[in-house]
Amino acid sequence: MAKYVMALDQGTTSSRCILFDREGNICSMAQKEFTQIYPQPGWVEHNPKEIWSSQLAVATECMAMVGCSPEQIAAIGITNQRETTILWDRKTGEPVYNAIVWQCRRTADMIEELKKDGFDKKIRERTGLIPDAYFSASKIAWILEHVPGVREQAEAGEILFGTVDTWLIWNLTRGAVHATDYTNASRTMLFDIHNLCWDQEILERFRIPACILPKVRPSGCVFGHTDCSMLGGEIPIAGAAGDQQAALFGQCCFEQGEVKNTYGTGCFLLMNTGHEAITSQSGLLTTIAAGTDDRVQYALEGSVFVAGAGVQWLRDSMRMIRSASQTKDYCEAVGDTAGVYIVPAFAGMGAPYWNQYARGTVVGLTRGCTKEHFIRATLESIAYQTADVLRAMERDSGIRLRSLKVDGGASANDFLMQFQSDIVKTQVQRPGCIETTALGAAYLAGLSVGFFKSKEDIRERWQIGTAFEPAMSDDRRETLLKGWRRAVKCALAWAEEE
């Protein structure tokens, strides 16, 4: 009998594999970093063959760690860095160019062109996305335009496109399956999230032939089976979802109004909005949430640009700390920030402000400010920025936040999580297992093959590791938020011309 579900977690800097048992416990885990390629300033690429080889290597390693045969794996679930774009030869499987990574800004001018004739509004309406070089559409167009011979091959049906999930599925099945799921399709800027189909008019605008696109399926379904030459047997590939949607599912945010925040380099907040696609008035994105059938659920998504990156800044640039874990003790050594606010707008401000010219700002400095106050102000800024996005979600959706589920590296910081609870005046729930992205992929795959019985079955197994309850007075909270809003005004004022 099958004992495990395998999660392939293909991230921006590393490929990981985790084997989970029926209780959602981690049985083995392997990780391998791969090369980051920067051909020019603002350009970011990966070698697709290295993505594939690193992912296959960790899968094999994970199986070896527990002495597991292919028959003992019920299914494979895939979660991946989103928007990263790969084009390859249908016959040979050879990539025609490096993967263009979601962070790459080379197509920013192409996006500006769209805005001139108002086509950006059409894209927003149909895809739920604010047009940006971040998404796959302009990356595909760039490869078709700049790699000799590829456009002609694509129009002749000899080229395939995929986000990373599609590339892994195609390789695992030795070219038998060319497919993606609704969540990854919804991040390409080519997919009509209301009618659940590739949008012909947008394809024509980007001059992308429809024949290169993968078939789109629910996140939880059997896409195909691994070829015997890969992992030694035919294992169902039964789940796929973009990393942030996988984390939402892994946190059991199955109901309308449930929210998760992943504290990484930045923060990614997603709110399940049920079967209604809500158009944001606050610069949030509308996207498809991971699910197991064709009746999709939607989510609102907002990003905080600087979260863990602020802590890295304290460590590497300011040299105020030696490790991220020290911040908790420094923060608790003082009762407050002595009136200091830090707005870490190192690369502009995201939702709900959307000002790319804002810059990092420190306000409220007095002679009494110490290193401890400065570190605490940096940590508090993560919670304030999260609160700004959550309030925008509540305004857009009309849904009052009931609790906030958290994961990611910085969620391990008890000081930050308590302050987060205080500042949003709601319970913050940190799960026992914070590997929620991989767990979400495992849940999707396991549900599809009956390894897990139902969503209710999964919800019962999901365990809160620690719950943080708000303990701050309303007056104190309002005073702090008022100060934060003033600090943000200063950061935005810096962007204004004299």
Side-chain angles (χ1 to χ4, degrees), residues 231-254:
L231 298 169
E234 293 188 0
I235 305 168
I237 302 163
D243 52 10
Q244 299 308 324
Q245 287 100 328
L248 189 71
F249 201 84
Q251 288 276 35
C252 298
C253 294
F254 305 141

Side-chain angles (χ1 to χ4, degrees), residues 208-484:
I208 295 170
C211 61
I212 74 171
L213 303 171
K215 183 176 169 56
V216 188
R217 307 191 62 192
S219 304
C221 74
V222 178
F223 289 84
H225 292 75
T226 58
D227 186 87
C228 286
S229 63
M230 296 302 157
L231 298 169
E234 293 188 0
I235 305 168
I237 302 163
D243 52 10
Q244 299 308 324
Q245 287 100 328
L248 189 71
F249 201 84
Q251 288 276 35
C252 298
C253 294
F254 305 141
E255 303 298 321
Q256 185 184 44
E258 293 188 307
V259 184
K260 74 89 194 173
N261 188 18
T262 298
Y263 295 79
T265 304
C267 284
F268 284 94
L269 289 91
L270 269 76
M271 172 190 271
N272 185 326
T273 62
H275 297 296
E276 185 189 356
I278 293 169
T279 302
S280 172
Q281 303 305 310
S282 314
L284 305 176
L285 304 177
T286 308
T287 197
I288 296 179
T292 52
D293 54 41
D294 278 310
R295 190 167 182 237
V296 301
Q297 288 189 316
Y298 295 92
L300 279 172
E301 177 174 324
S303 303
V304 169
F305 293 162
V306 177
V311 178
Q312 288 168 341
W313 169 69
L314 289 176
R315 184 191 66 198
D316 302 337
S317 302
M318 304 302 286
R319 296 195 290 280
M320 287 188 172
I321 54 171
R322 286 198 185 88
S323 69
S325 57
Q326 286 183 296
T327 56
K328 178 179 177 290
D329 292 338
Y330 279 122
C331 289
E332 290 173 347
V334 288
D336 55 29
T337 66
V340 174
Y341 287 89
I342 293 176
V343 184
F346 301 144
M349 296 194 76
Y353 304 103
W354 290 111
N355 187 317
Q356 62 179 328
Y357 303 108
R359 285 296 172 264
T361 306
V362 183
V363 298
L365 281 175
T366 61
R367 182 70 180 77
C369 175
T370 65
K371 177 168 89 167
E372 288 80 1
H373 295 122
F374 200 90
I375 291 167
R376 181 166 172 146
T378 304
L379 267 286
E380 287 187 2
S381 76
I382 300 170
Y384 288 130
Q385 291 174 98
T386 297
D388 288 342
V389 176
L390 285 172
R391 295 290 98 97
M393 283 180 168
E394 288 182 331
R395 282 195 304 274
D396 283 338
S397 66
I399 300 167
R400 179 82 180 96
L401 181 67
R402 295 200 299 270
S403 66
L404 175 64
K405 293 181 174 180
V406 299
D407 54 61
S411 71
N413 187 311
D414 287 357
F415 166 79
L416 175 59
M417 293 302 100
Q418 183 56 54
F419 189 77
Q420 187 70 81
S421 175
D422 287 337
I423 221 69
V424 295
K425 198 183 177 179
T426 195
Q427 185 186 70
V428 167
Q429 299 177 349
R430 184 173 64 203
C433 172
I434 60 172
E435 295 291 351
T436 52
T437 304
L439 191 56
Y443 283 161
L444 286 162
L447 282 169
S448 303
V449 297
F451 187 80
F452 300 117
K453 291 191 192 74
S454 62
K455 286 183 183 176
E456 291 65 41
D457 175 40
I458 287 170
R459 197 189 276 281
E460 280 169 23
R461 293 165 197 269
W462 186 87
Q463 292 179 331
I464 294 177
T466 313
F468 298 87
E469 299 287 351
M472 189 181 279
S473 72
D474 290 345
D475 286 350
R476 175 85 183 127
R477 180 183 305 106
E478 197 37 57
T479 302
L480 288 174
L481 284 167
K482 204 175 189 178
W484 169 252

Side-chain angles (χ1 to χ4, degrees), residues 175-198:
V177 180
H178 181 225
T180 190
D181 84 299
Y182 287 134
T183 68
N184 278 294
S186 76
R187 310 294 296 189
T188 59
M189 214 166 78
L190 298 170
F191 193 71
D192 183 329
I193 63 170
H194 310 286
N195 296 308
L196 304 182
C197 62
W198 298 112

